[in-house]
Amino acid sequence: MAQYILRKLLGAVVVIAGVSLLVFILTRVIGNPVDVMLPLNATAADRVRLAHQLGIDKPILTQLGEFITGVFHGNFGESWYEQQPALSVALERLPFTLELSGIAMALALIFAIPLGVLSALRPRSLLDKVTSTLSMFGICVPNFWLGLVLILIFANTLHWLPTSGVGDWRYLVLPAITMAVLPLGRITQIVRTAMLEQLREPYVVTARSKGLLEFWVVVRHALKNAGISIVTMSGWELGRIIAGYAIAIEAVFGLPGIGSLVVDSIGQQDFPLIQALTFVIATCITLINLLIDMTYPFFNPRLKFK
């Protein structure tokens, strides 16, 4: 098991390094922060002075060498706008996004698993058709549009919940629901499909013939064997929330998470902060994948760590 984890960690290091290198190259190719940071009437001398101050007037190989050296020391430089270490700025925003993502995934799983199981137990029923329709709606609806609609209804019209910002638990309700809708739809479909496959297996017929209660047949046998598909999709969706959904939703609700920081850093072309955010997000996703892999033997003991 130790060797398996070590191989996975080494692979994760390679992936994170590759992603970080790609982002470094892209930031140097697609934009010039001097154009963003200086006013339109800035002189050529001002532009040269700022480029030298930021260190982007150096040869690209020199910048790359400094970047690689800094990464090995956990130093991505100072954020050009925050005037603080870029990695510290990214890590300060990370807990809020993780909390919101965890709540959203919990909501998605609480509803997706029962709905998917019930749909599989009653295929082509009214419940199955309604569940399939709602899950497709959750997959297709743009989350930023859904967030604006929820704000319009529950905040501006009914005045039940705040529109944006941070505070008590009420400030997390609308963002968490908005963030949960898409994974809820996908996971529901995965649960339904996996359960339909498992309920046709001979071991389910054997378990029923032994007189086991239907609840235990479904939960202890069929659902457990469908767990690998469910856990895999859940981990994938959690990674998408952190790396994708959070960006739009935190921007819509004005939340101080890592997603809104990504939007700000790209708009400002803050290279050190963009690189630090990429490193943090890539690390989170690789750790999620590692944890998901380690749960597989629980659902299928025939799978071993190799």
Side-chain angles (χ1 to χ4, degrees), residues 115-126:
L115 288 174
V117 170
L118 292 174
S119 295
L121 291 173
R122 297 175 176 83
R124 300 187 183 89
S125 65
L126 178 61

Side-chain angles (χ1 to χ4, degrees), residues 52-238:
H52 180 73
Q53 180 182 344
L54 299 178
I56 58 176
D57 59 339
K58 300 177 183 178
I60 188 67
L61 292 180
T62 302
Q63 295 184 50
L64 178 60
E66 293 176 351
F67 170 72
I68 294 174
T69 303
V71 169
F72 275 108
H73 292 87
N75 179 18
F76 290 83
E78 282 198 354
S79 168
W80 295 338
Y81 282 84
E82 299 290 337
Q83 295 298 308
Q84 299 178 39
L87 186 59
S88 298
V89 175
L91 292 177
E92 286 176 2
R93 297 287 194 97
L94 181 62
F96 183 88
T97 297
L98 292 180
E99 178 186 6
L100 182 60
S101 302
I103 295 173
M105 277 304 302
L107 286 175
L109 291 172
I110 287 171
F111 289 98
I113 293 177
L115 288 174
V117 170
L118 292 174
S119 295
L121 291 173
R122 297 175 176 83
R124 300 187 183 89
S125 65
L126 178 61
L127 173 64
D128 185 28
K129 293 177 181 179
V130 171
T131 300
S132 298
T133 302
L134 291 177
S135 64
M136 285 301 300
F137 172 80
I139 293 172
C140 297
V141 64
N143 50 20
F144 66 88
W145 177 85
L146 178 61
L148 294 174
V149 171
L150 292 178
I151 290 173
L152 179 64
I153 296 173
F154 294 100
N156 293 343
T157 303
L158 299 176
H159 303 289
W160 289 355
L161 296 166
T163 56
S164 61
V166 294
D168 57 20
W169 62 270
R170 297 182 304 123
Y171 287 82
L172 295 176
V173 173
L174 293 182
I177 292 174
T178 306
M179 195 176 283
V181 167
L182 199 154
L184 170 60
R186 284 205 178 103
I187 296 172
T188 299
Q189 292 191 344
I190 288 294
V191 173
R192 180 185 181 278
T193 302
M195 287 296 295
L196 283 173
E197 293 177 357
Q198 295 301 322
L199 290 172
R200 299 190 187 104
E201 294 294 324
Y203 74 86
V204 173
V205 178
T206 302
R208 285 170 172 164
S209 66
K210 291 180 179 179
L212 291 179
L213 293 175
E214 185 68 11
F215 175 82
W216 295 116
V217 173
V218 172
V219 175
R220 294 185 62 180
H221 295 277
L223 185 58
K224 182 178 180 181
N225 286 317
I228 289 181
S229 299
I230 299 170
V231 169
T232 301
M233 176 57 69
S234 300
W236 186 65
E237 286 297 327
L238 181 58

